[in-house]
Amino acid sequence: MKKAIAGLGIFLMSACAHLIDSTVKPEQFEAPLAGEHAVLASCVTHKLQSNGRSYMRPLQFRNRQYPDIEASEIHAYDTRYLPNAIATYAPSNPDAIFIYAHTAPEIQSSAQRRDNDKAVYAFALLLQQIDSHTVQASLRGDPFIGNIAWKILQSCVMAGSES
């Protein structure tokens, strides 16, 4: 009996220790990269929007620039969880027409940045300029889709270094 109670206690303590806040997305990647934040963000956003894989289709990408802190941030929102969004595969949209957001970046102040995380997002990629040739890139969110975005970011860095 004592072993069963002790085992139950250990199980409950380990279960509680592994609870995480669902509003905080874990950091997946972080690294300094060569490039300029606005150019890299535009490249990544364009490549993400042109990605035709089925699991990327429900995502909507927003490229936001914060000139006061010399940074760009890309959010991938899952349209299935956005309010007032109609999925492209819904019966009310039988032709499944994709309507993408504008590829032009949204210019905001850094004070507005904290309000951008209120909607459900698959990942957020922050590119902050360190010096004239280097950005600090950090990605948080879903490991699967975040890994795809990180590989696209690396391909944009390589394309920028080749030109």
Side-chain angles (χ1 to χ4, degrees), residues 38 63-68 71-72 104-110 112:
N63 177 4
R64 295 187 174 106
Q65 287 185 5
Y66 307 103
D68 54 341
S72 293
E106 300 173 21
I107 309 297
Q108 297 183 348
S109 69
S110 60
Q112 293 171 302

Side-chain angles (χ1 to χ4, degrees), residues 73-112:
E73 190 168 36
I74 300 169
H75 277 97
Y77 294 105
D78 192 333
T79 56
R80 295 172 294 182
Y81 302 112
L82 289 176
N84 301 324
I86 298 173
T88 56
Y89 49 81
S92 59
N93 186 9
D95 296 330
I97 299 170
F98 292 107
I99 301 172
Y100 291 109
H102 301 290
T103 57
E106 300 173 21
I107 309 297
Q108 297 183 348
S109 69
S110 60
Q112 293 171 302

